[in-house]
Amino acid sequence: MIIGVPKEIKNKENRVAAIPATVAEFVNKGHKVYVENNAGLGSGFSDEDYKQAGAIIADCETVYKSAEMIYKVKEIFPQEYKYLRENLILFTYIHSNAHLEQTQALLESKVIGIAYEDVEDKNGRFPLLKPMSELAGKGSFLAALHYGQSVHGGKGILFNRICGVETPTVTIIGCGESGMGAAELAASFGNNVKILDVNKEVMNESKSKLPSNVEFLYSNRTNLLKCLKETDVLINCILWNKTRKDHLVYKEDLKLMKGGAIIIDVACDDNGAIETSHSTSHDDPIYYEEGILHYCVDNIPSAFSRTASISLANATLPYAMEIANKGCEKALIDNKYLLKGLTCYRGKLTLAETAIKHNLELTLYDEIIKDFK
Ligand SMILES: NC(=O)c1ccc[n+]([C@@H]2O[C@H](COP(=O)([O-])OP(=O)(O)OC[C@H]3O[C@@H](n4cnc5c(N)ncnc54)[C@H](O)[C@@H]3O)[C@@H](O)[C@H]2O)c1
């Protein structure tokens, strides 16, 4: 198969879908890989590194026009719509429910879109979200370290255990991949860490992985309000149901927080679990509501682009390789977990959540694959 790796064009998106080692794996299996000029530069990989791995370096148009499968990181932007065509396989984060215009472009062009974020594993978890969530969680604690400093707008708190100084409290809502990433760093810095979740099984599992300065609490309004009053940092790591209209932390609740406390919202859903959150960018990452600093950057892993690219490429390669080796249809039939990622197939929308949200016609996966030869 011919695989194309474009340079990401989203502002401050420094990740790349395939690192040179990924290219070498494809080439070893007899595939051809086009990599756009400077695609890996933001992650510290030069065109020369890719050439040595066996890639063909080309301009953006050549990459898109030559490829049977476009292998990238972020969704497709309007400048890229012109490259979409029938049967082109698109393997990337798509987030079709959040980007209606893009979804329409994918449907009109009849591409085959497989979204990283919807690929599942046998436990119903999301293996292609996991590596980025871990980094986002770790990055969220690092953001707290940064914005806690008085020179960066904070109260001047070092989130660390210092002799003779009261140990800071870090509260994390959500004990999933990003919550665990945040907790691992916050705890290793010696802070008093509190994690709230609604899933007792997950909390029990996590307890054995984290040190004793991490306390696990059931997530209910009473515990949350108590934590809000005591915490120096609140880190939101919930996977929030986008159809919910309520919140966990209301604007009014911010008045309970200590002066100079910080909210780091990893989930960063607009008007989501935290009513006052709206997503921000690395260019303009923070804002204040009720005197509380909010950090809601929606692509935290991009700040750790090299680590993120390597980690993401390691996670996506087995699926991309299966598509390349077998062809898209056979790979989708053989691998029901990959099939979960199918967003659109030759003009038909297959992702229920997007169809429901935007009132679009849905075609079930089973309908689609029954016509595969
Ligand atoms: N900002 C970024 O750069 C970035 C990067 C990666 C992921 N994310 C986002 O972060 C969010 C979390 O991702 P994840 O992979 O950690 O999710 P996850 O599914 O691994 O974990 C979510 C956790 O939230 C818990 N939860 C659900 N309702 C809760 C409640 N009411 N109170 C407390 N806990 C509750 C769940 O039980 C689960 O343990 C997602 O929205 C994801 O899109 C953001």
Side-chain angles (χ1 to χ4, degrees), residues 9 38 73 102 137 141 149 210 225 271 279 308 340 354:
I9 59 172
N38 296 334
V73 180
Q102 174 207 228
F141 175 69
Q149 298 172 36
L210 291 170
L225 290 185
N271 222 10
S279 60
K340 296 266 186 181
T354 302

Side-chain angles (χ1 to χ4, degrees), residues 125-142:
R125 298 192 71 87
F126 302 100
L128 305 188
L129 277 180
K130 183 178 168 170
M132 295 305 100
S133 291
E134 180 189 356
L135 287 190
K138 289 184 169 164
S140 72
F141 175 69
L142 297 179

Side-chain angles (χ1 to χ4, degrees), residues 114-125:
I114 304 176
Y116 291 168
E117 68 272 15
D118 296 310
V119 172
E120 281 186 22
D121 65 17
K122 62 179 183 336
N123 301 315
R125 298 192 71 87

Side-chain angles (χ1 to χ4, degrees), residues 15 95 125-126 129-137 172-180 196-199 202-203 217-220 236-240 242 244 248 265-269 282 295-302:
R15 288 172 292 176
H95 293 292
R125 298 192 71 87
F126 302 100
L129 277 180
K130 183 178 168 170
M132 295 305 100
S133 291
E134 180 189 356
L135 287 190
I172 299 164
I173 333 179
C175 186
E177 307 296 349
S178 55
M180 284 295 281
L196 297 103
D197 204 295
V198 285
N199 187 332
V202 164
M203 285 199 280
L217 295 168
Y218 189 72
S219 177
N220 57 31
N236 173 34
C237 295
I238 294 183
L239 181 60
W240 191 249
K242 311 286 183 263
R244 274 178 79 159
L248 285 197
D265 195 344
V266 177
C268 62
D269 298 300
H282 284 293
Y295 172 98
C296 309
V297 171
D298 64 5
N299 60 340
I300 299 172
S302 175

Side-chain angles (χ1 to χ4, degrees), residues 213-232:
N213 54 332
V214 182
E215 185 182 345
F216 291 86
L217 295 168
Y218 189 72
S219 177
N220 57 31
R221 182 108 182 117
T222 307
N223 283 338
L224 184 62
L225 290 185
K226 188 166 180 296
C227 288
L228 272 187
K229 287 177 196 160
E230 293 166 357
T231 201
D232 295 291

